Structure formats: structure tokens, C-alpha cells
Amino acid sequence: MGYYHDEVLAGFLSNELEEHTYSICRLVVHPIHFRKGIAKALLEYFLNHVGQNRHSQVSTGAKNEPALRLYKQFEFKEVKDIEIAPDVYLTLLEKK
């Protein structure tokens, strides 16, 4: 799903459904549109229209504080940190 600003794609969210769990694969906002509420709007739309009442999960950089705050605002809970390279971690979050 995409978010358009003046007919230009400013952000998008992609997801996959596997069995009973939605995985948010990407949530991306173009840097010139940071801090305009676009990521929040995309996530809110996803949770209210696509992933409503479904188990959802997402991973983000363990040190990506803005993303972690956003997901926690929508009641995602940290599950675990995953080391993907030496000293590089992702945090897995879930919402049930």
C-alpha cells in the first residue's frame, strides 16, 4: 500500500500473509517526507483494514529508536533480538 503526496509516492508498506500471521516486510518513507506522520498513517491503515484482528510481526534495526517507538505506540511487543551479522541486530516485534 502506498501513501501519495501531491501525486508522488512518499511512502509504502508491504506485507505477506503466511498461515495466520502478517509480516510487515517493509515500511519506507522517502527522506524528504520524514516526520510528517506518513509511517504512522500507513501502519494505522494496515492494522485497521488489512491486519485487523490478526497476528502481525515486524523487524527493525535494534537501534532504530524512531521505528521502535512507532511500533510500540501500536502495541507491538519486543520478542527478541536477532544477530544478522557480527554486532548487527534486528529486533523482532509482534502484535497479537
Side-chain angles (χ1 to χ4, degrees):
M1 60 196 68
Y3 186 103
Y4 289 83
H5 178 75
D6 294 332
E7 299 182 18
V8 175
L9 184 64
F12 70 87
L13 184 150
S14 69
N15 66 85
E16 293 180 350
L17 176 61
E18 294 181 21
E19 297 199 20
H20 302 289
T21 300
Y22 274 103
S23 293
I24 297 172
C25 304
R26 301 279 185 275
L27 176 54
V28 178
V29 175
H30 190 285
I32 65 172
H33 294 290
F34 281 178
R35 304 188 62 88
K36 294 181 181 177
I38 294 171
K40 182 178 180 179
L42 285 165
L43 186 56
E44 186 170 46
Y45 183 87
F46 168 78
L47 292 171
N48 289 329
H49 296 91
V50 179
Q52 186 176 26
N53 300 320
R54 296 268 187 136
H55 180 248
S56 297
Q57 65 181 20
V58 65
S59 61
T60 189
K63 294 182 181 181
N64 186 344
E65 289 299 324
L68 291 169
R69 275 194 307 274
L70 174 66
Y71 294 122
K72 289 176 182 178
Q73 180 180 1
F74 285 91
E75 300 178 356
F76 280 81
K77 307 290 184 210
E78 289 186 31
V79 176
K80 64 181 174 180
D81 285 339
I82 304 162
E83 188 172 22
I84 58 169
D87 296 321
V88 178
Y89 292 88
L90 293 177
T91 297
L92 177 65
L93 301 103
E94 293 183 341
K95 178 178 175 68
K96 297 186 180 197

